Amino acid sequence: MAKKSGSLKKVILRTLLYIVVIVICLVTLYPYFAMFCTALKNRAEIFSMNGTILPVTSVWSNFIDVWKRAPMANYMLNSLMIAGGSTIIAMLCGIPAAYALARMKFKGQTIFLGFVIVSQMFAPVVLLIGIYKVMSILSLTDSIIGLIFINAAFNQAFTIWLLRGTFIGI
């Protein structure tokens, strides 16, 4: 009898676990579902006051029209250049720093590592005026190169922290 109650308890707990996982997945995936359903609607249906989640008539041509109405290929290329460029710069600067932090011992290392991690918590808004001044002096405002440098700079602390752990593991 005790064996059956233990088995029944295990089945109930597993069922509850599956229900919780399914609910979490549904909550997590709902914004994507709503986005996809909105992409299938026409403009009148999107801005209607008494709208529904599911489209009344599906407009599949919206997926083609977005490439015609906006220069999406340019946007994608810009995103790839910015992400790739900032990643390369962050890695080129971060690898030597992370290797040094992983292999060398120096006075104040824990304080420095704490500063590296805490620097990720600062809101970048605090730095906007200074960044704008520097970018203006270097004539990098409204340029892809400027965005690459800013993204690389903001990701530098995370890059060093992540690569340091990798080098320690090796």
Side-chain angles (χ1 to χ4, degrees), residues 26 28-40 53-55:
L26 289 174
T28 303
L29 294 175
Y30 178 75
Y32 296 101
F33 174 73
M35 178 180 60
F36 181 72
C37 289
T38 303
L40 291 174
I53 293 293
L54 296 174

Side-chain angles (χ1 to χ4, degrees), residues 9 18 21 47 56 59 86 93 104 108 135 156 162:
K9 184 178 179 182
Y18 283 137
V21 168
F47 295 113
V56 176
V59 183
S86 63
C93 296
M104 297 178 190
M135 295 303 243
Q156 196 62 61
L162 196 65

Side-chain angles (χ1 to χ4, degrees), residues 126-145:
V126 177
L127 306 172
L128 281 181
I129 294 173
I131 290 171
Y132 178 76
K133 290 279 192 186
V134 170
M135 295 303 243
S136 294
I137 291 169
L138 298 175
S139 299
L140 292 175
T141 55
D142 197 26
S143 71
I144 291 177
I145 301 289

Side-chain angles (χ1 to χ4, degrees), residues 55-67:
V56 176
T57 57
S58 296
V59 183
W60 291 95
S61 63
N62 286 344
F63 293 105
I64 297 169
D65 291 344
V66 73
W67 290 92

